Amino acid sequence: MAFGFTNAQKARFGVKGGLNIATIGGANDANSLIGFQLGGFAEINVWKKLYIQPELLFSAQGAKFDGYYGERDYTVNLNYINVPVLAKYYITKQFSVEAGPQLGLLVSSENIEDEKSVDVGFNLGAGYNFTDNFSVGIRYTIGLTSIYDYNDYYDDYDGYYYDNRYSNNVLALTAAYKF
């Protein structure tokens, strides 16, 4: 990134926002939750068609759960400040593919206990530039860490020992404008 910032004449900045379709991986009864993301990014040319794209995004994630045995349906809301750093390659002037890690900091949560304050994921995506300034993208974030502060626990009610990892998984559809 330091190399890219020294070549500021090859950097562009922009804003982006869009729709999140999120769920919690590992939870068999989790249903998709519609959320959003909003933030900014830099697109830094490092070599020919290869760019580094750091971003700073607010992202509403989580999942919906059906209530069983007389319980009410409930929603787990997790709001993060996500910092993805992507390697972006332009296959053509209009079409690009991207991949890279993401660090998320939990800023608020609802209907969850023992949540972790840091989330790590990996992004895979593609984008299309309609003009030099306006583009759209699709990205899937695969959660690499558990959203809970524990991985192994003993269920006092059922007497079973669980080893589950519940992770954030997010499909994002975005629009971006570069300055």
Side-chain angles (χ1 to χ4, degrees):
M1 284 179 47
F3 173 77
F5 284 119
T6 59
N7 293 320
Q9 71 276 8
K10 296 181 182 180
R12 294 187 70 188
F13 299 91
V15 293
K16 68 186 303 186
L19 177 76
N20 284 346
I21 303 169
T23 190
I24 296 175
N28 294 333
D29 54 347
N31 299 310
S32 296
L33 176 68
I34 304 299
F36 70 95
Q37 63 176 256
L38 184 64
F41 65 93
E43 187 181 76
I44 305 158
N45 185 229
V46 291
W47 184 70
K48 296 185 180 181
K49 296 181 179 185
L50 180 64
Y51 291 75
I52 298 295
Q53 184 168 304
E55 300 177 354
L56 182 63
L57 305 169
F58 176 85
S59 183
Q61 301 170 194
K64 291 183 180 180
F65 292 89
D66 296 327
Y68 295 105
Y69 308 113
E71 293 180 12
R72 300 179 70 192
D73 294 351
Y74 65 97
T75 301
V76 171
N77 293 307
L78 302 166
N79 296 313
Y80 287 91
I81 298 294
N82 287 330
V83 183
V85 179
L86 306 163
K88 185 173 188 178
Y89 183 79
Y90 280 92
I91 295 171
T92 67
K93 185 176 179 176
Q94 289 81 29
F95 185 71
S96 63
V97 292
E98 59 191 27
Q102 171 177 291
L103 180 67
L105 302 173
L106 184 67
V107 292
S108 69
S109 64
E110 182 181 317
N111 292 333
I112 188 172
E113 295 177 12
D114 299 320
E115 69 272 7
K116 280 188 178 176
S117 59
V118 177
D119 185 49
V120 177
F122 189 81
N123 296 292
L124 297 169
Y128 186 83
N129 291 333
F130 287 101
T131 68
D132 284 343
N133 296 63
F134 180 72
S135 63
V136 295
I138 185 169
R139 181 183 301 166
Y140 188 71
T141 304
I142 303 160
L144 300 177
T145 57
S146 179
I147 63 171
Y148 293 107
D149 202 17
Y150 55 87
N151 285 329
D152 304 325
Y153 67 94
Y154 183 78
D155 187 341
D156 292 329
Y157 298 107
D158 295 334
Y160 292 105
Y161 184 75
Y162 294 97
D163 183 15
N164 287 331
R165 185 173 63 86
Y166 299 103
S167 59
N168 284 304
N169 296 319
V170 181
L171 177 66
L173 307 169
T174 60
Y177 187 81
K178 293 180 232 175
F179 303 106

